Each structure stands twice: as structure tokens, then as C-alpha cells.
């Protein structure tokens, strides 16, 4: 696989990472679903991915036993010094007995971000990190994501949170921090990268959802790793039938293996992107994803057509 420098992470990593959602409970089955895949199936796929060179694994506490299974796999393969396990600090739960109230829309109809002191109070972040350390059974979390919203840099709670981030690094509990951005990133990403000790950002980017492309320029001169989640739009961009990105199949079928291969190569064709997280559930998924990370770029005419949504 191609590797790319991950800036503030202080290392290079392969361009394909493992999205660990499948390590959690399987979704409800439909009448036409194939064989049921359990978390242990995904764990075998994860082991194969690591053995094949994948060095970034993304999990979250909300995904059942995903943290535990990922940590177990990394330890079994003696990958603690090689594999970057990234996990998400979840939003803090509301106080007991509190009635959640949705924020009121602003004058322009937009919904303001929830208050930083409610979502990520420093004490909660500390407890969440320690819970993830227990679940993964790792000595340190290589990369901890904070679910970031716009406008928080001016919040009164930001200095305390920043101090907690620094303390957890000093204590050897977190190696690096990252900002997990919403599907439509906020306008202050550049300011965040200048003010916060973050080594990476995670964005949602695929051929059908391109809002995050606007923030890629902000990372170019700041040496921040850009990790893309859902590059296949949750599986919607797989298969071998139909147009993709506004481009008919006839224009790409001789250049790539299938829609997923095309979608991944388009994402990785952004120079600012460091790696794409692929939710591989089977060994075949692992092999296909790794093949798309071989560094071969799309031809300029096809790339231009996809960028423009040309038909």
C-alpha cells in the first residue's frame, strides 16, 4: 500500500485504515440479507488487515465491544508499537433527571452547537479516556478523537478542556488528539488547527457527499493528518452497476475494478487526505480495499469528470 506522512502524528501510515463499526453488534437482518456476520467475523477481517499492512484502526465506545476486540487483536499481533488505534470520546450524557432540550434555531434558521461545557467537560473527557484504556487494555491511546463543533474555541470551558488534553498527554494516557468533525464541517477549522493541540481531523467525504472538501485546504500548510470516514457512503457506493459521481459506468469500467474501487481512488486522489477508513466485514472486503490503496491515480479525464460531476 501507498503510505503518506501523517504530519503531527509524527509518522507515515498506509492510506487504507480499518473502520471498526462492524466490530460492534450487527444491524437487524432484513428478509433478503445474506449470512449474518458477527463481530468475531469482523475481528478476523481486522487481523487480516493488520497482517496485510493496515496501521490505522478506528473504533468508538458506542460500537459495543469494538474497543475491546480491536485492542485484543492488536495485542495478539504484537502491534501496539505499529498500529494507531483511534477511538472517540463520546458526548457527555445529560445530568441525571435532566430533560434534554434541543437548541433553538438562530435567526437564519441554523441550529447552534451545543455548549462545550455540556458536551465535553474536562472531568468527563478524563473518565472517557480511562474507560477506553480499560476496554482496549492498551497502555496509551495512540489517537483520541474529540467530537468537535464550531464556535467552541471562544467558549469559557475551552481553556479547561485544553488543559485536560495536555494533562492526559503528560500522564501518558493519550499520545495524540484529533478533532472528529461533523458531516458538514464548521467554518472555524483553520482556527481550530492553529489553536488546539490536534494531530488529525476526521471528516466525512465521498463522491455523493463533498461538503468536507472545503476544509482540506486548511490542512495543507499545517501538517495535520486528514482521515476520511465513510468513503463508500456506508456501502451505497459499492457494486458494479450504475453511474457514480454523475459519471456513467461506461466511462470508468475499464479503469477500475468496481464502484468501490473508483470511490476510494477518488477520495485518495485528494492530496490533503492521509487515509480513508473502510468498514471491512470480510476478508474479501479487506483485499479489495487494500488493492485500492496501491497508489495508482485515476486518469486525469476521469478525475476531472468526477470532480465536476460531468456526465
Amino acid at each position: 500500500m501507498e503510505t503518506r506522512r501523517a504530519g503531527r502524528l509524527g509518522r507515515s501510515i498506509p492510506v487504507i485504515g480499518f473502520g471498526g463499526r462492524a466490530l460492534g453488534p450487527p444491524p437487524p437482518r432484513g428478509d433478503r440479507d445474506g449470512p449474518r456476520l458477527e463481530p468475531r467475523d469482523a475481528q478476523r477481517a481486522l487481523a487480516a488487515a493488520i497482517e496485510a499492512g493496515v496501521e490505522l484502526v478506528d473504533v468508538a465506545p458506542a460500537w459495543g465491544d469494538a474497543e475491546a476486540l480491536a485492542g485484543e487483536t492488536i495485542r495478539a499481533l504484537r502491534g501496539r508499537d505499529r498500529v494507531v488505534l483511534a477511538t472517540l470520546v463520546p458526548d457527555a450524557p445529560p445530568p441525571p433527571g435532566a430533560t434534554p432540550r434541543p437548541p433553538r434555531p438562530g435567526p437564519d434558521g441554523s441550529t447552534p452547537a451545543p455548549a462545550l461545557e455540556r458536551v465535553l467537560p474536562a472531568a468527563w473527557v478524563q473518565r472517557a479516556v480511562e474507560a477506553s484504556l480499560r476496554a482496549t487494555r492498551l497502555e496509551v491511546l495512540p489517537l483520541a478523537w474529540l467530537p468537535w463543533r464550531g464556535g467552541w474555541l471562544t467558549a469559557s470551558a475551552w481553556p479547561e478542556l485544553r488543559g485536560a488534553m495536555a494533562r492526559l498527554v503528560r500522564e501518558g494516557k493519550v499520545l495524540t488528539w484529533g478533532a472528529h468533525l461533523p458531516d458538514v464541517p464548521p467554518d472555524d477549522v483553520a482556527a481550530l488547527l492553529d489553536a488546539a493541540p490536534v494531530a488529525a481531523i476526521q471528516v466525512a467525504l465521498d463522491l455523493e457527499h463533498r461538503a468536507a472538501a472545503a476544509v482540506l485546504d486548511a490542512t495543507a500548510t499545517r501538517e495535520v493528518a486528514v482521515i476520511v470516514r465513510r468513503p463508500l457512503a456506508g456501502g451505497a457506493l459499492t457494486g458494479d452497476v450504475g453511474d457514480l459521481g454523475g459519471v456513467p459506468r461506461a466511462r470508468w469500467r475499464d479503469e477500475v475494478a468496481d464502484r468501490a474501487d473508483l470511490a476510494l481512488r477518488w477520495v485518495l486522489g485528494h492530496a490533503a487526505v492521509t487515509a480513508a477508513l473502510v468498514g471491512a466485514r470480510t476478508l474479501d472486503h479487506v483485499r479489495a480495499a487494500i488493492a485500492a490503496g496501491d497508489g495508482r491515480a485515476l486518469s486525469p479525464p476521469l478525475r476531472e469528470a468526477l470532480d465536476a460531476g460531468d456526465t
Side-chain angles (χ1 to χ4, degrees):
M1 272 188 295
E2 178 191 3
T3 61
R4 295 182 182 177
R5 185 70 181 169
R8 298 178 191 175
L9 288 178
R11 55 176 291 175
S12 296
I13 58 173
V15 294
I16 298 296
F18 189 95
R21 175 64 183 85
L23 294 168
R29 294 187 63 197
D31 293 339
R32 298 182 181 179
D33 288 349
R36 183 180 179 87
L37 296 174
E38 299 293 338
R40 289 291 179 180
D41 297 314
Q43 186 182 26
R44 285 188 284 271
L46 171 59
I50 292 174
E51 290 176 331
V54 167
E55 296 180 6
L56 174 64
V57 179
D58 190 66
V59 293
W63 299 343
D65 293 329
E67 287 184 315
L69 293 177
E72 177 184 294
T73 305
I74 292 169
R75 295 194 311 274
L77 296 176
R78 295 182 171 88
R80 281 178 283 193
D81 295 332
R82 178 169 62 89
V83 178
V84 176
L85 178 67
T87 191
L88 177 69
V89 174
D91 290 3
T99 301
R101 294 183 179 180
R104 294 181 179 179
D108 60 353
S110 62
T111 301
L116 174 61
E117 58 269 25
R118 196 212 65 75
V119 178
L120 292 176
W124 165 256
V125 172
Q126 174 98 24
R127 292 197 298 272
V129 164
E130 292 171 349
S132 290
L133 286 171
R134 291 191 297 272
T136 60
R137 294 176 59 194
L138 298 177
E139 291 81 9
V140 60
L141 296 180
L143 176 58
W145 298 114
L146 294 177
W148 194 262
R149 275 80 153 190
W152 280 357
L153 290 176
T154 58
S156 60
W158 166 237
E160 183 181 6
L161 174 58
R162 182 183 174 117
M165 295 165 66
R167 184 181 69 253
L168 287 164
V169 171
R170 290 195 305 270
E171 293 174 353
K173 295 177 179 179
V174 174
L175 186 61
T176 56
W177 292 96
H180 187 286
L181 301 181
D183 289 357
V184 178
D187 296 331
D188 59 354
V189 172
L192 165 67
L193 299 182
D194 290 336
V198 296
I201 61 172
Q202 187 182 133
V203 299
L205 179 66
D206 64 68
L207 274 166
E208 305 296 340
H209 307 88
R210 309 187 186 195
V215 308
L216 298 184
D217 289 344
T219 68
T221 60
R222 293 175 171 85
E223 297 187 344
V224 175
V226 178
I227 310 302
V228 173
R229 65 180 179 271
R230 300 201 310 272
L232 303 179
L237 303 183
T238 59
D240 193 32
V241 178
D243 299 352
L244 190 58
V247 179
R249 180 177 181 273
R251 292 189 60 178
W252 53 260
R253 63 184 177 187
D254 294 330
E255 190 170 327
V256 296
D258 53 26
R259 286 160 51 93
D261 189 33
L262 178 64
L264 280 172
R265 291 182 190 277
W266 179 80
V267 167
L268 295 174
H270 290 82
V273 169
T274 307
L277 299 167
V278 180
R281 292 177 176 270
T282 67
L283 298 182
D284 287 342
H285 292 163
V286 170
R287 297 186 189 102
I290 289 176
D294 61 6
R296 179 173 60 84
L298 299 172
S299 66
L302 178 55
R303 178 81 203 188
E304 291 170 6
L306 291 167
D307 288 345
D310 186 16
T311 59

